[in-house]
Amino acid sequence: ENVLPKSIVTRLAKGVLPQNTNIQKDAVLALTKGATVFINYLCTAANENAVKANKKTIMPKDVLEAISQLELDEFGPRLQAELASLSPYLSNLPHTTYIRSPY
């Protein structure tokens, strides 16, 4: 089973919480499982968009469309801003680092 590393989930969670906040072990597990389910759900929707466009590679626009289709529009502007800040780095990555659809 694919699960996000607990250390990364903990670091992300602590990054948005007040400094002296502790996270119980079971809460980290719940966050990890929840994030994994969310990513799988979003990736499946993005993959469907790529397949509909006769593409084998999920692109950022597929993810943004999936965000909207899943009625998660409140995340769209933040995701677009994050992508814009990363675009200089993404354009320098080799093509093989993109996630390829199995279909």
Side-chain angles (χ1 to χ4, degrees):
E1 177 182 354
N2 293 329
V3 179
L4 294 170
K6 291 178 189 174
S7 61
I8 291 175
V9 173
T10 302
R11 188 175 340 129
L12 288 169
K14 286 191 174 217
V16 297
L17 295 172
Q19 189 173 12
N20 293 327
T21 303
N22 293 318
I23 305 172
Q24 187 181 31
K25 183 179 177 181
D26 290 343
V28 172
L29 179 62
L31 287 168
T32 301
K33 293 290 186 174
T36 301
V37 168
F38 176 75
I39 289 171
N40 289 337
Y41 186 54
L42 181 58
C43 192
T44 298
N47 184 59
E48 289 173 5
N49 292 333
V51 169
K52 285 179 190 173
N54 294 319
K55 304 288 183 187
K56 291 187 177 185
T57 303
I58 297 172
M59 302 298 287
K61 70 177 186 137
D62 300 314
V63 176
L64 290 168
E65 287 174 17
I67 291 280
S68 179
Q69 292 165 342
L70 298 174
E71 299 180 11
L72 300 168
D73 294 313
E74 64 271 13
F75 295 108
R78 170 78 187 266
L79 180 55
Q80 287 177 333
E82 294 290 337
L83 285 171
S85 71
L86 291 175
S87 67
Y89 303 107
L90 294 175
S91 63
N92 292 329
L93 290 176
H95 184 66
T96 56
T97 59
Y98 286 104
I99 300 170
R100 292 209 169 263
S101 167
Y103 306 106

